[in-house]
Amino acid sequence: MKINENPKASIDDIPGACLGVAIPLNANPSGGTIPYTHKWTGNFINGDLINPTDEDPTFKSNTYAVYNLTYTVTDKNGCTASAQTHFELNVPPDPNITLKHKDSICQNTNSYLLDVTIDNESLYTYSWTGTEGDKPFTSNQLTPILDVSEPKTFDLHLKVTDRKGCSAYDSILLAVNPVPTAQIVGDASICQGINLPLQSFEKSNENTYSWTSAYVSPKTGTSVTFSSSVITNHTVGLEVKNKITGCVSNTTKTVTVKPTPVVTLRDTSVCMLSSFNLSPEVSSTSVMATWMIDTLTLNGAHILNPKFHAAESRDYVLALEVNEAGCSSTDTMIVHVRSNPVANAGNPKSELNAVPFSLDGSGRTGAAPFPYKWSPATYITSSSSIVNPTAVITDPQMFTLTVTDNYGCTSTDSVFINIQNNRPKVSVSSIDICDTKTVSLIAQASGGTGAGYTYRWFQLPSNTELGITSETLNVNVSKTT
């Protein structure tokens, strides 16, 4: 008869067993002759032991007790061996986990601290597992710090374990929503009183847009208009809020209102051929000037006070744009150039020495009446302020006539008056006569205008004209002693 070797049986220790938690049972058969059959028995109820004929079944019970289990192994030859184990099924902890969190928060630069409270938290250990977006998340802190600087979703599970190894569980699902972009698009400066369009960089029907500034209109929408005459730095605010998530983003922009220079031009009238400097009224002397339209009359188009020359009698239109730091304004003026009167002092002539004569002046065009003025007045024997005064000269003289019209425009002309040669002189030659005879008297003329003298003889003392018109007079004389 052959005596077969018995198999051997043992069971791994069970470190801790918790109510309602699956416990793997691990048997360790050896020896004898394989194959083996397995059987687990004990004070459990049906259903607590899953697959009790397996070598390594699973035990799970919701009934508190101290359980005694026996494992029996039977080999091919029917030889058997047994092993026992016992364990107390501990009640899982009830730490009263409270997770205070929202289902979603808004993305921000601050860290987010999970708000977790547990009764007697020092009696437990903690383990967080799950995902942070597309990355795994783990932490052994009761209140871990979450990075919410980017949009993502946290799917986290908390395991609370007591000193007996029993655990309680909770979980959260936290969505980090993106905040809308708040950015103001538009110029950083504007001229006084000019409209400045401002816009939100992001435009979406999912958002609301609210603007803050007394000088912005309207107060809502993606596009607004800023306008102010107050010269200073203004702060414009924009709040962008998502209608669904409530996430808000804010930004500000500084808008500088610059002064607009003021220029004033006044119409004027001048006389033709006159020149004068233009004198615009400006609010600042540091402006850049640009004259426009009839600029050929000026000595420079980019001079604030250019010289204007009135070359023709007509209306000239001048416009001036002044610019300071990009802000500009324009005004226009008319320069009415009047025609000058025409002075005519007459033609040159010769007059007798010390004999009164009349100056032949005249004036025309321009705006009557015409005040006249002759100079030098020393030789005028009548009024020097009439057009045809009387003058007496003893030497050749240049006379100047100035005519001024009703608008102050003037014209001058000059005439040269010569002196005729001195009055003619005459001498008569005489002969001493001793006998009575006829004597010829010969007149010798000189001076005057030169050639072409005429003669008239008179008998003295009666001053009787003799009727002789030649230069020789024949006279009968008697001898005298």
Short mmCIF file of all heavy atoms in Angstrom, two decimals, residues 408-468:
data_model
loop_
_atom_site.label_atom_id
_atom_site.label_comp_id
_atom_site.label_asym_id
_atom_site.label_seq_id
_atom_site.Cartn_x
_atom_site.Cartn_y
_atom_site.Cartn_z
N GLY A 408 -7.67 156.96 -47.95
CA GLY A 408 -6.29 157.16 -47.54
C GLY A 408 -5.27 156.67 -48.55
O GLY A 408 -4.06 156.70 -48.28
N CYS A 409 -5.72 156.18 -49.71
CA CYS A 409 -4.78 155.76 -50.75
C CYS A 409 -4.24 157.01 -51.45
O CYS A 409 -4.99 157.96 -51.70
CB CYS A 409 -5.47 154.85 -51.77
SG CYS A 409 -6.09 153.31 -51.02
N THR A 410 -2.96 156.99 -51.76
CA THR A 410 -2.30 158.19 -52.28
C THR A 410 -1.61 157.91 -53.61
O THR A 410 -1.32 156.77 -53.96
CB THR A 410 -1.26 158.72 -51.29
OG1 THR A 410 -0.24 157.75 -51.12
CG2 THR A 410 -1.90 159.05 -49.95
N SER A 411 -1.39 159.03 -54.32
CA SER A 411 -0.60 158.99 -55.55
C SER A 411 0.14 160.32 -55.66
O SER A 411 -0.37 161.36 -55.22
CB SER A 411 -1.52 158.78 -56.76
OG SER A 411 -0.76 158.82 -57.96
N THR A 412 1.33 160.28 -56.22
CA THR A 412 2.13 161.51 -56.37
C THR A 412 2.59 161.65 -57.81
O THR A 412 2.76 160.66 -58.53
CB THR A 412 3.35 161.51 -55.44
OG1 THR A 412 4.18 160.40 -55.77
CG2 THR A 412 2.92 161.43 -53.99
N ASP A 413 2.78 162.91 -58.22
CA ASP A 413 3.36 163.22 -59.53
C ASP A 413 4.11 164.54 -59.39
O ASP A 413 3.76 165.37 -58.53
CB ASP A 413 2.27 163.31 -60.60
CG ASP A 413 2.84 163.38 -62.01
OD1 ASP A 413 3.94 162.81 -62.20
OD2 ASP A 413 2.21 163.97 -62.90
N SER A 414 5.11 164.73 -60.21
CA SER A 414 5.94 165.93 -60.13
C SER A 414 6.04 166.60 -61.50
O SER A 414 5.94 165.93 -62.54
CB SER A 414 7.35 165.59 -59.62
OG SER A 414 7.29 165.06 -58.31
N VAL A 415 6.23 167.90 -61.47
CA VAL A 415 6.39 168.67 -62.70
C VAL A 415 7.52 169.68 -62.49
O VAL A 415 7.68 170.24 -61.41
CB VAL A 415 5.07 169.37 -63.08
CG1 VAL A 415 4.65 170.39 -62.03
CG2 VAL A 415 5.21 170.04 -64.46
N PHE A 416 8.32 169.85 -63.54
CA PHE A 416 9.44 170.79 -63.47
C PHE A 416 9.04 172.08 -64.15
O PHE A 416 8.61 172.10 -65.31
CB PHE A 416 10.67 170.20 -64.16
CG PHE A 416 11.89 171.09 -64.08
CD1 PHE A 416 12.61 171.20 -62.90
CD2 PHE A 416 12.29 171.84 -65.18
CE1 PHE A 416 13.72 172.02 -62.83
CE2 PHE A 416 13.41 172.66 -65.10
CZ PHE A 416 14.13 172.74 -63.92
N ILE A 417 9.16 173.19 -63.41
CA ILE A 417 8.85 174.53 -63.95
C ILE A 417 10.18 175.27 -64.12
O ILE A 417 10.91 175.49 -63.15
CB ILE A 417 7.92 175.31 -63.02
CG1 ILE A 417 6.66 174.50 -62.71
CG2 ILE A 417 7.55 176.66 -63.64
CD1 ILE A 417 5.84 174.17 -63.93
N ASN A 418 10.46 175.65 -65.35
CA ASN A 418 11.70 176.36 -65.66
C ASN A 418 11.45 177.87 -65.63
O ASN A 418 10.31 178.34 -65.73
CB ASN A 418 12.21 175.94 -67.03
CG ASN A 418 13.70 176.24 -67.20
OD1 ASN A 418 14.36 176.70 -66.26
ND2 ASN A 418 14.21 175.98 -68.38
N ILE A 419 12.51 178.66 -65.52
CA ILE A 419 12.44 180.12 -65.55
C ILE A 419 12.84 180.58 -66.95
O ILE A 419 13.88 180.17 -67.48
CB ILE A 419 13.38 180.76 -64.52
CG1 ILE A 419 12.91 180.42 -63.09
CG2 ILE A 419 13.44 182.28 -64.69
CD1 ILE A 419 11.60 181.06 -62.73
N GLN A 420 11.92 181.38 -67.53
CA GLN A 420 12.30 181.96 -68.82
C GLN A 420 13.55 182.84 -68.61
O GLN A 420 13.76 183.41 -67.54
CB GLN A 420 11.16 182.81 -69.40
CG GLN A 420 9.94 182.01 -69.80
CD GLN A 420 8.89 182.90 -70.45
OE1 GLN A 420 9.08 184.13 -70.62
NE2 GLN A 420 7.76 182.29 -70.81
N ASN A 421 14.39 183.07 -69.75
CA ASN A 421 15.57 183.91 -69.61
C ASN A 421 15.18 185.31 -69.12
O ASN A 421 14.06 185.77 -69.34
CB ASN A 421 16.30 184.05 -70.96
CG ASN A 421 16.96 182.73 -71.35
OD1 ASN A 421 17.24 181.92 -70.48
ND2 ASN A 421 17.20 182.55 -72.63
N ASN A 422 16.16 186.10 -68.61
CA ASN A 422 15.86 187.44 -68.06
C ASN A 422 15.18 188.32 -69.09
O ASN A 422 15.33 188.12 -70.30
CB ASN A 422 17.14 188.11 -67.58
CG ASN A 422 17.75 187.35 -66.41
OD1 ASN A 422 17.02 186.75 -65.65
ND2 ASN A 422 19.06 187.41 -66.30
N ARG A 423 14.45 189.26 -68.60
CA ARG A 423 13.79 190.19 -69.53
C ARG A 423 14.83 190.79 -70.50
O ARG A 423 15.96 191.04 -70.12
CB ARG A 423 13.11 191.30 -68.76
CG ARG A 423 11.92 190.80 -67.93
CD ARG A 423 11.23 191.96 -67.26
NE ARG A 423 10.09 191.49 -66.48
CZ ARG A 423 9.25 192.29 -65.83
NH1 ARG A 423 9.47 193.62 -65.86
NH2 ARG A 423 8.23 191.82 -65.17
N PRO A 424 14.41 191.00 -71.74
CA PRO A 424 15.39 191.55 -72.69
C PRO A 424 15.86 192.95 -72.27
O PRO A 424 15.09 193.70 -71.67
CB PRO A 424 14.61 191.61 -74.01
CG PRO A 424 13.18 191.60 -73.60
CD PRO A 424 13.09 190.82 -72.35
N LYS A 425 17.10 193.23 -72.58
CA LYS A 425 17.70 194.54 -72.30
C LYS A 425 18.02 195.24 -73.62
O LYS A 425 18.35 194.56 -74.60
CB LYS A 425 18.98 194.39 -71.48
CG LYS A 425 18.74 193.76 -70.10
CD LYS A 425 20.05 193.59 -69.36
CE LYS A 425 19.82 192.93 -68.00
NZ LYS A 425 21.10 192.75 -67.25
N VAL A 426 17.90 196.54 -73.59
CA VAL A 426 18.17 197.30 -74.82
C VAL A 426 19.05 198.51 -74.49
O VAL A 426 18.92 199.10 -73.44
CB VAL A 426 16.85 197.76 -75.48
CG1 VAL A 426 16.08 198.71 -74.60
CG2 VAL A 426 17.12 198.40 -76.85
N SER A 427 19.97 198.78 -75.40
CA SER A 427 20.80 200.01 -75.29
C SER A 427 20.81 200.70 -76.65
O SER A 427 20.74 200.04 -77.69
CB SER A 427 22.23 199.64 -74.85
OG SER A 427 22.85 198.83 -75.83
N VAL A 428 20.84 202.01 -76.61
CA VAL A 428 20.82 202.80 -77.85
C VAL A 428 22.15 203.58 -77.96
O VAL A 428 22.55 204.26 -77.01
CB VAL A 428 19.64 203.80 -77.87
CG1 VAL A 428 19.66 204.64 -79.16
CG2 VAL A 428 18.33 203.04 -77.72
N SER A 429 22.76 203.42 -79.11
CA SER A 429 24.04 204.13 -79.30
C SER A 429 23.74 205.58 -79.71
O SER A 429 22.77 205.85 -80.43
CB SER A 429 24.87 203.43 -80.39
OG SER A 429 24.16 203.42 -81.61
N SER A 430 24.55 206.53 -79.21
CA SER A 430 24.34 207.95 -79.54
C SER A 430 25.65 208.56 -80.04
O SER A 430 26.73 208.06 -79.73
CB SER A 430 23.83 208.71 -78.31
OG SER A 430 24.79 208.63 -77.28
N ILE A 431 25.49 209.66 -80.86
CA ILE A 431 26.66 210.30 -81.49
C ILE A 431 26.59 211.80 -81.14
O ILE A 431 25.53 212.41 -81.21
CB ILE A 431 26.66 210.12 -83.01
CG1 ILE A 431 26.63 208.61 -83.34
CG2 ILE A 431 27.85 210.80 -83.66
CD1 ILE A 431 26.46 208.35 -84.83
N ASP A 432 27.75 212.36 -80.74
CA ASP A 432 27.79 213.81 -80.55
C ASP A 432 27.61 214.50 -81.91
O ASP A 432 28.32 214.18 -82.90
CB ASP A 432 29.12 214.27 -79.92
CG ASP A 432 29.25 213.78 -78.49
OD1 ASP A 432 28.18 213.54 -77.84
OD2 ASP A 432 30.39 213.63 -78.01
N ILE A 433 26.66 215.41 -82.02
CA ILE A 433 26.36 216.04 -83.32
C ILE A 433 26.58 217.56 -83.15
O ILE A 433 26.05 218.16 -82.23
CB ILE A 433 24.91 215.76 -83.72
CG1 ILE A 433 24.67 214.24 -83.85
CG2 ILE A 433 24.52 216.46 -85.02
CD1 ILE A 433 23.25 213.90 -84.13
N CYS A 434 27.36 218.11 -84.10
CA CYS A 434 27.62 219.56 -84.06
C CYS A 434 26.76 220.33 -85.06
O CYS A 434 26.44 221.49 -84.86
CB CYS A 434 29.11 219.85 -84.38
SG CYS A 434 30.20 219.15 -83.09
N ASP A 435 26.44 219.77 -86.14
CA ASP A 435 25.64 220.41 -87.16
C ASP A 435 24.27 219.74 -87.22
O ASP A 435 24.13 218.56 -86.92
CB ASP A 435 26.32 220.34 -88.53
CG ASP A 435 27.67 221.08 -88.52
OD1 ASP A 435 27.71 222.18 -87.96
OD2 ASP A 435 28.63 220.48 -89.04
N THR A 436 23.39 220.60 -87.65
CA THR A 436 22.05 220.03 -87.81
C THR A 436 22.07 219.01 -88.93
O THR A 436 22.52 219.31 -90.01
CB THR A 436 21.03 221.13 -88.12
OG1 THR A 436 21.02 222.06 -87.04
CG2 THR A 436 19.63 220.58 -88.33
N LYS A 437 21.59 217.81 -88.58
CA LYS A 437 21.50 216.78 -89.60
C LYS A 437 20.60 215.66 -89.10
O LYS A 437 20.18 215.64 -87.94
CB LYS A 437 22.88 216.22 -89.98
CG LYS A 437 23.59 215.54 -88.84
CD LYS A 437 24.90 215.00 -89.34
CE LYS A 437 25.65 214.25 -88.24
NZ LYS A 437 26.91 213.70 -88.74
N THR A 438 20.39 214.59 -89.90
CA THR A 438 19.61 213.43 -89.52
C THR A 438 20.56 212.40 -88.93
O THR A 438 21.58 212.07 -89.51
CB THR A 438 18.86 212.83 -90.72
OG1 THR A 438 17.96 213.84 -91.23
CG2 THR A 438 18.10 211.59 -90.31
N VAL A 439 20.14 211.91 -87.76
CA VAL A 439 21.00 210.94 -87.05
C VAL A 439 20.22 209.62 -86.91
O VAL A 439 19.02 209.62 -86.62
CB VAL A 439 21.38 211.43 -85.65
CG1 VAL A 439 22.23 210.40 -84.93
CG2 VAL A 439 22.14 212.77 -85.77
N SER A 440 20.90 208.52 -87.08
CA SER A 440 20.29 207.19 -86.89
C SER A 440 20.62 206.68 -85.50
O SER A 440 21.81 206.57 -85.12
CB SER A 440 20.81 206.18 -87.94
OG SER A 440 20.37 206.56 -89.23
N LEU A 441 19.54 206.34 -84.75
CA LEU A 441 19.71 205.71 -83.42
C LEU A 441 19.54 204.19 -83.58
O LEU A 441 18.56 203.72 -84.15
CB LEU A 441 18.67 206.25 -82.42
CG LEU A 441 18.73 207.75 -82.14
CD1 LEU A 441 17.62 208.15 -81.18
CD2 LEU A 441 20.08 208.12 -81.57
N ILE A 442 20.48 203.47 -83.07
CA ILE A 442 20.46 201.99 -83.23
C ILE A 442 20.26 201.34 -81.86
O ILE A 442 21.05 201.57 -80.93
CB ILE A 442 21.75 201.50 -83.88
CG1 ILE A 442 21.94 202.15 -85.24
CG2 ILE A 442 21.73 199.96 -84.00
CD1 ILE A 442 23.27 201.85 -85.89
N ALA A 443 19.18 200.56 -81.78
CA ALA A 443 18.89 199.81 -80.52
C ALA A 443 19.62 198.48 -80.53
O ALA A 443 19.57 197.73 -81.52
CB ALA A 443 17.40 199.59 -80.37
N GLN A 444 20.28 198.19 -79.48
CA GLN A 444 21.00 196.92 -79.35
C GLN A 444 20.31 196.09 -78.23
O GLN A 444 20.38 196.44 -77.05
CB GLN A 444 22.47 197.16 -79.03
CG GLN A 444 23.21 197.88 -80.15
CD GLN A 444 24.67 198.15 -79.79
OE1 GLN A 444 25.02 198.19 -78.63
NE2 GLN A 444 25.48 198.36 -80.82
N ALA A 445 19.58 195.02 -78.64
CA ALA A 445 18.80 194.18 -77.70
C ALA A 445 19.63 192.97 -77.28
O ALA A 445 20.40 192.41 -78.06
CB ALA A 445 17.50 193.73 -78.33
N SER A 446 19.42 192.58 -76.04
CA SER A 446 20.08 191.35 -75.53
C SER A 446 19.20 190.72 -74.43
O SER A 446 18.28 191.35 -73.91
CB SER A 446 21.46 191.68 -74.96
OG SER A 446 21.33 192.54 -73.84
N GLY A 447 19.52 189.49 -74.11
CA GLY A 447 18.75 188.79 -73.06
C GLY A 447 17.43 188.30 -73.57
O GLY A 447 17.21 188.14 -74.77
N GLY A 448 16.51 188.07 -72.67
CA GLY A 448 15.21 187.53 -73.03
C GLY A 448 15.34 186.10 -73.53
O GLY A 448 16.19 185.33 -73.10
N THR A 449 14.52 185.79 -74.51
CA THR A 449 14.51 184.42 -75.01
C THR A 449 15.49 184.21 -76.14
O THR A 449 15.53 183.14 -76.74
CB THR A 449 13.10 184.05 -75.52
OG1 THR A 449 12.73 184.98 -76.56
CG2 THR A 449 12.10 184.11 -74.40
N GLY A 450 16.23 185.25 -76.50
CA GLY A 450 17.22 185.08 -77.55
C GLY A 450 16.79 185.81 -78.80
O GLY A 450 16.45 186.98 -78.76
N ALA A 451 16.74 185.10 -79.91
CA ALA A 451 16.46 185.74 -81.21
C ALA A 451 14.98 186.10 -81.34
O ALA A 451 14.14 185.59 -80.60
CB ALA A 451 16.85 184.80 -82.35
N GLY A 452 14.73 186.98 -82.32
CA GLY A 452 13.36 187.32 -82.64
C GLY A 452 12.80 188.42 -81.78
O GLY A 452 11.70 188.29 -81.28
N TYR A 453 13.58 189.56 -81.59
CA TYR A 453 13.07 190.67 -80.81
C TYR A 453 12.10 191.50 -81.63
O TYR A 453 12.20 191.58 -82.85
CB TYR A 453 14.20 191.57 -80.32
CG TYR A 453 15.20 190.87 -79.41
CD1 TYR A 453 16.50 190.64 -79.84
CD2 TYR A 453 14.83 190.52 -78.12
CE1 TYR A 453 17.42 190.02 -79.01
CE2 TYR A 453 15.74 189.91 -77.30
CZ TYR A 453 17.03 189.64 -77.73
OH TYR A 453 17.93 189.03 -76.91
N THR A 454 11.18 192.16 -80.97
CA THR A 454 10.34 193.19 -81.60
C THR A 454 10.64 194.51 -80.90
O THR A 454 11.03 194.52 -79.72
CB THR A 454 8.84 192.84 -81.47
OG1 THR A 454 8.50 192.75 -80.09
CG2 THR A 454 8.53 191.53 -82.18
N TYR A 455 10.43 195.59 -81.66
CA TYR A 455 10.85 196.90 -81.15
C TYR A 455 9.69 197.88 -81.22
O TYR A 455 8.88 197.83 -82.16
CB TYR A 455 12.02 197.45 -81.97
CG TYR A 455 13.25 196.57 -81.98
CD1 TYR A 455 13.41 195.57 -82.94
CD2 TYR A 455 14.23 196.72 -80.99
CE1 TYR A 455 14.53 194.75 -82.94
CE2 TYR A 455 15.35 195.90 -81.01
CZ TYR A 455 15.50 194.90 -81.96
OH TYR A 455 16.60 194.08 -81.97
N ARG A 456 9.63 198.77 -80.27
CA ARG A 456 8.65 199.87 -80.25
C ARG A 456 9.37 201.10 -79.68
O ARG A 456 9.90 201.04 -78.59
CB ARG A 456 7.44 199.50 -79.39
CG ARG A 456 6.64 198.35 -79.96
CD ARG A 456 5.70 197.75 -78.90
NE ARG A 456 4.72 198.72 -78.46
CZ ARG A 456 3.92 198.53 -77.42
NH1 ARG A 456 4.05 197.44 -76.68
NH2 ARG A 456 3.03 199.47 -77.08
N TRP A 457 9.38 202.22 -80.51
CA TRP A 457 10.08 203.45 -80.09
C TRP A 457 9.06 204.45 -79.51
O TRP A 457 7.92 204.55 -79.97
CB TRP A 457 10.79 204.11 -81.29
CG TRP A 457 11.99 203.28 -81.79
CD1 TRP A 457 11.98 202.34 -82.70
CD2 TRP A 457 13.30 203.47 -81.37
NE1 TRP A 457 13.22 201.82 -82.92
CE2 TRP A 457 14.09 202.51 -82.08
CE3 TRP A 457 13.97 204.29 -80.46
CZ2 TRP A 457 15.45 202.37 -81.92
CZ3 TRP A 457 15.34 204.14 -80.33
CH2 TRP A 457 16.06 203.17 -81.03
N PHE A 458 9.50 205.11 -78.45
CA PHE A 458 8.66 206.12 -77.79
C PHE A 458 9.43 207.43 -77.68
O PHE A 458 10.65 207.42 -77.56
CB PHE A 458 8.27 205.63 -76.38
CG PHE A 458 7.42 204.39 -76.37
CD1 PHE A 458 8.03 203.15 -76.40
CD2 PHE A 458 6.05 204.49 -76.33
CE1 PHE A 458 7.28 202.01 -76.39
CE2 PHE A 458 5.30 203.33 -76.32
CZ PHE A 458 5.89 202.07 -76.34
N GLN A 459 8.68 208.58 -77.70
CA GLN A 459 9.29 209.89 -77.53
C GLN A 459 9.06 210.34 -76.09
O GLN A 459 7.94 210.28 -75.58
CB GLN A 459 8.67 210.93 -78.48
CG GLN A 459 9.30 212.31 -78.33
CD GLN A 459 8.73 213.31 -79.35
OE1 GLN A 459 8.04 212.91 -80.30
NE2 GLN A 459 9.02 214.59 -79.17
N LEU A 460 10.13 210.71 -75.44
CA LEU A 460 10.06 211.15 -74.06
C LEU A 460 10.08 212.68 -74.02
O LEU A 460 10.65 213.31 -74.91
CB LEU A 460 11.25 210.58 -73.28
CG LEU A 460 11.32 209.05 -73.20
CD1 LEU A 460 12.60 208.61 -72.48
CD2 LEU A 460 10.09 208.50 -72.49
N PRO A 461 9.53 213.29 -73.05
CA PRO A 461 8.98 212.67 -71.81
C PRO A 461 7.51 212.33 -71.95
O PRO A 461 6.89 211.84 -71.03
CB PRO A 461 9.18 213.75 -70.77
CG PRO A 461 8.98 215.02 -71.53
CD PRO A 461 9.59 214.80 -72.91
N SER A 462 6.93 212.60 -73.17
CA SER A 462 5.50 212.37 -73.30
C SER A 462 5.17 210.88 -73.41
O SER A 462 4.03 210.48 -73.30
CB SER A 462 4.97 213.11 -74.55
OG SER A 462 5.58 212.56 -75.72
N ASN A 463 6.19 210.08 -73.65
CA ASN A 463 6.01 208.62 -73.78
C ASN A 463 5.08 208.28 -74.93
O ASN A 463 4.27 207.35 -74.87
CB ASN A 463 5.48 208.03 -72.48
CG ASN A 463 5.77 206.54 -72.42
OD1 ASN A 463 6.77 206.08 -72.98
ND2 ASN A 463 4.89 205.80 -71.73
N THR A 464 5.24 209.13 -76.01
CA THR A 464 4.40 208.94 -77.18
C THR A 464 5.04 207.92 -78.08
O THR A 464 6.22 208.03 -78.43
CB THR A 464 4.20 210.26 -77.94
OG1 THR A 464 3.61 211.21 -77.04
CG2 THR A 464 3.30 210.08 -79.14
N GLU A 465 4.23 206.89 -78.44
CA GLU A 465 4.79 205.84 -79.31
C GLU A 465 4.91 206.41 -80.72
O GLU A 465 3.99 207.02 -81.26
CB GLU A 465 3.87 204.61 -79.30
CG GLU A 465 4.47 203.45 -80.10
CD GLU A 465 3.68 202.17 -79.93
OE1 GLU A 465 2.74 202.11 -79.08
OE2 GLU A 465 4.00 201.18 -80.64
N LEU A 466 6.09 206.17 -81.28
CA LEU A 466 6.40 206.74 -82.59
C LEU A 466 5.97 205.84 -83.72
O LEU A 466 6.03 206.22 -84.89
CB LEU A 466 7.91 207.02 -82.69
CG LEU A 466 8.45 208.01 -81.64
CD1 LEU A 466 9.96 208.17 -81.80
CD2 LEU A 466 7.76 209.37 -81.78
N GLY A 467 5.61 204.62 -83.43
CA GLY A 467 5.16 203.73 -84.50
C GLY A 467 6.28 203.08 -85.26
O GLY A 467 6.03 202.50 -86.32
N ILE A 468 7.47 203.18 -84.78
CA ILE A 468 8.62 202.58 -85.46
C ILE A 468 8.86 201.21 -84.81
O ILE A 468 8.99 201.11 -83.58
CB ILE A 468 9.87 203.44 -85.34
CG1 ILE A 468 9.57 204.85 -85.87
CG2 ILE A 468 11.03 202.81 -86.10
CD1 ILE A 468 9.12 204.88 -87.32
#
